[in-house]
Amino acid sequence: MVQSYLKHGATQAFGVVCSASSNSVFDGRSAYVPALEDVLVWDVKKGQMLAMWHETGHREEVTCIVQSPQPDSFAVGYADGSIRLWSASTGSVLTTFNGHKKAITALAFDERGTRLASGSQDTDLILWDVVGEAGLYRLHGHRDQITAVRFISNIDHQPSTSTTASAGLLLTGSKDTFLKLWDLSTQHCIQTIVAHRSEIWSLDISQEQNLVFTGSGEGELKAWRIDREAIAEGLKETESGEVAKMIHPVSTLPLSSKHRVSQIKFHPTQPYLAVQSHDRSVEIFRVRNQEEVRKKQARRKKRAKEKRQQELGKGKVHEGENDQELEDDADDMDSNLVDYFTPYLVVRASGKIRSFDFGSNESSSKTATQLFVALASNALEVYNVPQPSKAKDELPEATRSYSVDIPGHRTDVRTLCISSDDQILASASNGSLKIWNLKTVSCIRTMDCGYAVCSSFLPGDRHIAVGTKSGEILIYDIASSTLIDTIQAHTATVWSMHVRADGKALVTGSADKDVKFWEFEHKDATDGSVQSGRLLALVHIRTLKMTDDVLSVRFSPNGKLLAVALLDSTVKVFYQDSLKFFLSLYGHKLPVLSMDISGDSKLIVTCSADKNVKIWGLDFGDCHKSIFAHEESVMQVAFEKDSHYFWTAGKDKMLKYWDGDKFEGIQKLEGHHGEVWAMALSHHGNFVVTGSHDKSIRVWEKLDEPLFLEEERERELERLYENGIAESLNRVDAPIGSGAEGGAVNGLPEAEVGAVTKQTTETLMAGERIMEALDLADTERETFREYEDAMSRLSENDAMRLQPPPRNPVLAAYDMEPEAYVLRVVEKVQNTALQDALLVLPFGKVVSLMVYLNIWAQKGWNITLVSRMIFFLLKTHHHQIVANRIMRTTLLPLRKHLRAALQRQKDVISYNLAALQFIRRKNDSERIAQFYEEEGMDEEKVKARISEGKKRKRVNLKA
């Protein structure tokens, strides 16, 4: 019989407040922050997590987050080039866009939230239709990663009655130092500016949409003016024959540091501009209006005049020399940008800043402005920026109002240990020790500690021992969350500690070449001690001197042996009681980083920096098997309780499950985004916990689902095959002889605009499903046509008349006609994947599908879908369709039926629109009449008021 194992699956991921892979968004109350592959929503005031946006099976990191003008909708970009639109109220994915080959680096919505522009590391810019859930077009032009995208909204003085939606303009900045302006109506770049000497890392547009600020990798902040008149006129030649420029350079704004300008942001409502160019601080500039600038210039002129008069009195300056300078009225922004943008204050955070955001819908805007900061050290902070005061002497200073840092470590999780009842988990890093409730995964205690390297719960589960890099052993009491004892145990790093199975002794191994043995002693508290009652203390009883640094120590569960791993890549086994030498396990090429002994004390498994895991017998010290286990160093190994199955964790971000008797890998568990440093196993064998460089702690639980090795191998091969097909379809091969990857075809440059397509395993499967449905429906229709033909040749009462053929079981089960079944299959394909799925179909199947499109149009089924499909298929297969005369018989009736169906739809919509406008007019008139009746006016006054209202000018108000 084939042996089955039990599957393990990821159940919890915690310990991440925010990761440094993406920017964060703050709306005044909630913060939307990246947490590796998820997005977390935090209430910064209470420090509570409100929601986790997680899609099952998706493991790529979040790289960009942006909020739509419709506040409930968020666009989130991922490292695999996919974009998901999330609904904040439901916490679910509305739609998924696939088009980019590499990570998304910039996202922007237009002012109504109906279009989304995305920039990526693959240098492409894609425009998406959010409502239609489809990619509109792809724009090529940049030569390096796009770092910023902004829409420039429509020109204000367009007639308000125009029904056509203006396509608008798009501004992009890239690492190739170029700033590009794209006209979305013609889908072309209309201006390219070499903005900086180094990469453009950030840009933002002012609220009035007349100024653009760009920040470079050298710490330069430049301002550019958007020429609205030139944009309104379009591309025109100037007198000199050049094309009129739409963006003009203004000036450079000096910053306090010369680091990379990683983010620029205008406040949505207040006159503030924030710039981050230093690791730990955000500079805030106050935007002055023209009146304030004029006053400042008048004061400056007055001072200059006084100074000049003083100098005239001393005879240093002749009259009339500097008059021209004084008369120079600098109203234009070009000459005095510093007057308009004046340094206001610097917000200094407690760690390295990853991104910042202003609170958009602020309730307390009169008192202070909120600045939200996401730190690279896994924490969030909110600062209050005070309003400008009249007092000259007091300098404005930002104060920290909220911070969220308790639910995670500032640095890598280096060690984990679990209490004997599997209820409590302790995790330690450089600086803090945290205690977690494993049921609720909430942090219940946080204590300061040094650089923790190893840890263990002591017998009774009330105390924790932590070994540090400085050689100390720290003893903590969990209940009172206090450090009760610090023992200077070693002179170098304590690499490992282990409690004996009987719970009476502890062994520690250190880089000072000593193995020390400790016993537990309970003594009464003294007046000077932190705690009352019985205290636990460690008493040093023996020391075993080794020839090299000790990296790991382990007692055997039967208490007879002690294994010690040394820096010379060997493992020495001693008798525990007499410390006599028993075995030397020699075979690893690099030092053994961790080891464990099985519950029956018969096997010892060692893992090493040489990427191998070796399984040894403890009776003779023979190596049973050497397994190449991970792609990088194997950091941790541990046996499952009472079995020969063991777990390994490595620097290759993987966790693996092995059978120690058959020497086979059972399961690979992916999920971490950084090296896995620490691992702890449940004492009952129910779960395993891992801690990583990505600061997350993950729980992998044993499920009831059986796992068969053959099936697992087959599934892995299938996945590899499917990914290979999708990649080969997406690859754009350079022509032979071009000598470049993705080079120019026949020496011609790549077209500036292209279609948005990307094959994934989902689109391939959707295409296959459509093909299967077409085959099934075609066969069914052919069978019934043959039957009807045969019947039509026979007379009514002929004895040869047959029973109709049996229906296809699938169609019979759904009780559907063949054409209805094909429509059902097509409707189930997601809107975003439909075009790519149709590209999978060979031309023969396209011809077959056209027949069904005609039937659907005739019956008036899902006309919007039919229109979309027919338009896409005609555009894609235009040449074959034109060349194929048989298609004419399908296309002529299709044109007739589709036109009739669309006309019906148009009539219905027109009727509904007219009805809605009538209802609105009726409602308005009723409300106006009611309002005037309440004021007690007579008829003449009402008429006068209404006519007065009609004369008023229409003003466009912007929210």
Side-chain angles (χ1 to χ4, degrees), residues 696-711:
S696 72
I697 300 168
R698 290 171 192 260
V699 182
W700 316 82
E701 269 184 30
K702 189 170 276 183
L703 311 171
D704 296 332
E705 201 182 325
L707 177 146
F708 299 97
L709 294 183
E710 285 298 311
E711 279 183 19

Side-chain angles (χ1 to χ4, degrees), residues 274-293:
V275 180
Q276 184 208 338
S277 70
H278 189 263
D279 277 353
R280 286 171 171 263
S281 61
V282 176
E283 280 181 71
I284 294 182
F285 292 87
R286 195 162 69 79
V287 185
R288 288 197 173 117
N289 57 30
Q290 281 201 333
E291 201 174 316
E292 288 177 304
V293 172

Side-chain angles (χ1 to χ4, degrees), residues 373-473:
V373 176
L375 304 180
S377 60
N378 200 23
L380 311 173
E381 294 178 338
V382 177
Y383 287 86
N384 273 344
V385 177
Q387 292 287 354
S389 61
K390 299 287 181 192
K392 299 271 185 199
D393 49 352
E394 57 181 71
L395 288 167
E397 199 170 303
T399 52
R400 187 168 76 183
S401 48
Y402 311 116
S403 68
V404 181
D405 55 2
I406 285 172
H409 286 282
R410 301 287 75 74
T411 50
D412 300 9
V413 178
R414 288 309 299 255
T415 171
L416 296 167
C417 55
I418 300 174
S419 63
S420 58
D421 58 0
D422 286 348
Q423 298 288 318
I424 291 175
L425 170 77
S427 65
S429 66
N430 178 8
S432 64
L433 168 71
K434 288 183 182 285
I435 312 293
W436 308 82
N437 179 339
L438 269 174
K439 270 190 181 164
T440 61
V441 297
S442 56
C443 179
I444 49 179
R445 296 275 189 279
T446 300
M447 294 163 261
D448 291 337
C449 72
Y451 196 133
V453 177
C454 59
S455 63
S456 175
F457 271 91
L458 299 182
D461 288 340
R462 295 189 172 195
H463 301 88
I464 290 176
V466 176
T468 67
K469 204 169 185 178
S470 56
E472 295 171 333
I473 298 176

Side-chain angles (χ1 to χ4, degrees), residues 291-337:
E291 201 174 316
E292 288 177 304
V293 172
R294 280 205 189 93
K295 282 180 184 172
K296 188 163 196 265
Q297 285 170 351
R299 285 201 300 273
R300 192 184 294 149
K301 281 179 197 168
K302 194 178 171 187
R303 282 200 299 273
K305 209 170 188 179
E306 286 168 4
K307 192 177 178 186
R308 191 171 147 278
Q309 280 174 352
Q310 285 174 7
E311 286 174 351
L312 267 174
K314 291 175 185 175
K316 285 185 183 176
V317 181
H318 297 292
E319 245 179 286
E321 235 177 64
N322 274 6
D323 286 358
Q324 188 58 42
E325 285 178 31
L326 291 177
E327 292 304 314
D328 184 24
D329 186 18
D331 266 357
D332 61 328
M333 205 175 276
D334 299 33
S335 56
N336 55 356
L337 190 74

